[in-house]
Amino acid sequence: MTGNEGEPLRLYRKALRYAQSDPEVFLGTARRAAESILLDIAIREAIGSKPTLESLLTVLSAKNLVPPKVVLAVRTIQNYGNYGSHAQDSPTEEISAEDVRPCLNALTQLAVWYGQTSRSLEEDAVRHELSDRRRGTGTTRLADSTLIVVKAVLLACGLERTLAQRGHHVVPVQLPWSDNLVRDVSARLLDAAVYNEQRVLHLLETDQTIRDQVVPVGRVGYSMGGRNFYLLGARAGRWGGVTAKEFLADPAGAQIAVPKHSDMFANLLSALSTDEAGLADMGVTVLDVPHHLGLELFHLNRDVLAVGGQNLRMHAQEDDAYFELLNSDMLPARTQTRLRSAAANVFIANRAWLEELDMRPGELYRELMRSFHECGSDDETYERLVRELVTHASFPPESVPESRERLVRHVLFESYRWGRP
C-alpha cells in the first residue's frame, strides 16, 4: 500500500485503529470500508449500482466479480455492522475488542483480496494502454519503481542523460516488482527494467521467447548487501517466545505471508533449504499476499509470520511489538552465501531497443555504472538522491519524514555502501 492509497484503504486503516480502543466505532468504520471497496470495484468495472453495501454486493456477486469466500466476509462485516448499530441503542450492552474479532478477520480478508484485485486491474489497465499507444520515435519505456533499492539505481545511473545523447527521451512506467517485468520487456511493452538477477536467469532458461528478446545488460548491486531476507513475527503471537534455532528445528504450524510470484518466496525456500512441496511436508502453509501490504497483516492473525520488503522491515524495527524470528545472519554460512547471490539485481533490456540505440550491452552498462558510482562518491549528489527518494519512494502511510529519511539512508548504506551506517 502506498501513501496514495485511496479512500477504501484509508477507511480500512482507520478501522484497524479503533478495533481495540473503540470496538463500536470500529464496526461502523468497517462497514464503510467494505462499502468503499465494493464501490471502487464497481467503478473500475463500469457497473452501475446504488452505493449501499447490499446493492453493491448483489450486483458484483451476480457478475462473478466477488468470489464466494469474499461474499461471506462482506456478509460477516454487514451483520456485525448491523449489530453495532443496535448495540448503540442499548446502553447496557457493551461490545469488547474480542467480540468484534470475527469482523476484524473478515475485514482484513476483504482488504487482502481488494489489494490483489485492484493491483491486477491497475496492471491490466497500464498494459492495455501501452499496447494501444503507438511507440514514438526516440522513446524509451522504462519500468519505474517506488522500491528504494531500485529507485536509487534508476535515479543514480544517469540513464536519461545517456539516452538524451542518442536522441531518446525516457517515459517511466509504474509496474510492480514481479516476473511480469521481464515478460513486458520481452514483448516490448517496456524497453528496459531492473529486476532480480536469479529470476531473470530462470526465465531466460525456461522461456525461448524471453531468451530471444531480452538481454541482461549488467548487475546493479545487491539488495541490502545480500542480507535482505527476514521472517517477521509479532511478540504477542505464537512465535513470540521461540528462537530461530527452535523454529528451524520445528516450523510445523507456521503460516507465512509472502507474495508467491516473487523473489521473496524464492528466498524463503532458500532460507529453509526446501521447495514448495517441502514446505507442506514441514507443516508450513503460505498466505499469498500483495507485496505492498504492511503490518496490518498481523491484525488478521497475530500468529502469522511475514516475508516482505525493506520498507516493512524498517517499519517493524520502530515498533517493539514485532521482531525478526529469522534473518540472514541467523542462518548457516552456506545458506547466507546462497541468499546473497539471490539478492543481486540486474538491468535488462530489449534487444531491438539496444539495436535502435546502436549500443552493445557492455557499452551501455559501463556508461550507467560510471554515473552510478560517481553518485555514491559525491556528498552533494548523494544528499540530493536521499531527498529524491524520501519524496518519491514508497513508505508505510503512518511513517513520518524523519523515519523515512532514516530508512532511505539505511537501505542505501546496506545495499551500496553509500553514506554512513
Side-chain angles (χ1 to χ4, degrees), residues 184-404:
D184 291 340
V185 172
S186 174
R188 206 157 180 207
L189 294 178
L190 297 171
D191 294 303
V194 172
Y195 191 53
N196 177 263
E197 185 178 56
Q198 282 200 358
R199 295 302 302 163
V200 170
L201 294 176
H202 171 73
L203 291 168
L204 289 171
E205 291 171 1
T206 57
D207 191 313
Q208 180 66 47
T209 302
I210 291 176
R211 188 158 57 248
D212 290 343
Q213 301 298 329
V214 175
V215 57
V217 172
R219 185 179 291 168
V220 290
Y222 294 82
S223 178
M224 299 301 288
R227 294 162 54 239
N228 60 330
F229 173 76
Y230 67 93
L231 193 55
L232 187 68
R235 294 191 187 279
R238 167 184 174 179
W239 304 97
V242 176
T243 66
K245 184 177 181 180
E246 291 168 340
F247 174 78
L248 290 172
D250 183 19
Q255 184 182 45
I256 301 178
V258 57
K260 283 190 68 174
H261 301 288
S262 73
D263 56 311
M264 297 177 195
F265 183 57
N267 284 345
L268 172 66
L269 297 178
S270 186
L272 298 181
S273 300
T274 188
D275 55 18
E276 190 168 355
L279 283 182
D281 293 339
M282 293 176 180
V284 174
T285 58
V286 171
L287 177 64
D288 185 14
V289 299
H291 78 277
H292 56 285
L293 281 182
L295 294 175
E296 62 268 19
L297 283 166
F298 295 96
H299 292 278
L300 173 64
N301 182 353
R302 287 184 302 181
D303 297 334
V304 77
L305 298 170
V307 178
Q310 298 312 308
N311 292 19
L312 175 63
R313 185 182 209 173
M314 295 303 117
H315 191 205
Q317 287 184 3
E318 296 188 350
D319 191 328
D320 290 337
Y322 305 97
F323 75 110
E324 291 182 12
L325 173 61
L326 192 66
N327 61 39
S328 301
D329 293 338
M330 303 174 186
L331 295 166
R334 182 178 297 179
T335 306
Q336 290 187 35
T337 300
R338 194 163 64 234
L339 285 169
R340 173 176 167 75
S341 176
N345 296 319
V346 64
F347 191 87
I348 60 173
N350 182 280
R351 293 182 185 274
W353 174 71
L354 285 172
E355 290 174 4
E356 287 179 13
L357 292 174
D358 192 24
M359 294 189 78
R360 294 183 299 276
E363 180 186 1
L364 175 59
Y365 181 67
R366 284 190 294 274
E367 286 203 29
L368 298 182
M369 287 301 99
R370 189 179 301 116
S371 296
F372 184 72
H373 292 302
E374 286 174 359
C375 180
S377 61
D378 181 81
D379 288 345
E380 184 178 341
T381 306
Y382 167 73
E383 291 298 330
R384 185 165 60 248
L385 175 64
V386 170
R387 292 193 296 272
E388 288 274 346
L389 290 171
V390 169
T391 302
H392 297 295
S394 61
F395 303 91
E398 304 88 345
S399 61
V400 297
E402 292 78 10
S403 67
R404 294 181 180 194

Side-chain angles (χ1 to χ4, degrees), residues 24 27-28 31 79-90 95:
E24 289 185 11
L27 292 178
R31 182 178 180 123
N79 290 334
Y80 269 83
N82 293 338
Y83 167 63
S85 298
H86 295 313
Q88 291 174 7
D89 297 332
S90 175
I95 303 175

Side-chain angles (χ1 to χ4, degrees), residues 136-140 159-160 162-170 188 191 353 356-357:
T137 303
T139 297
T140 291
L159 182 64
E160 290 193 19
T162 296
L163 296 183
Q165 293 170 354
R166 289 163 175 81
H168 269 239
H169 72 277
V170 173
R188 206 157 180 207
D191 294 303
W353 174 71
E356 287 179 13
L357 292 174

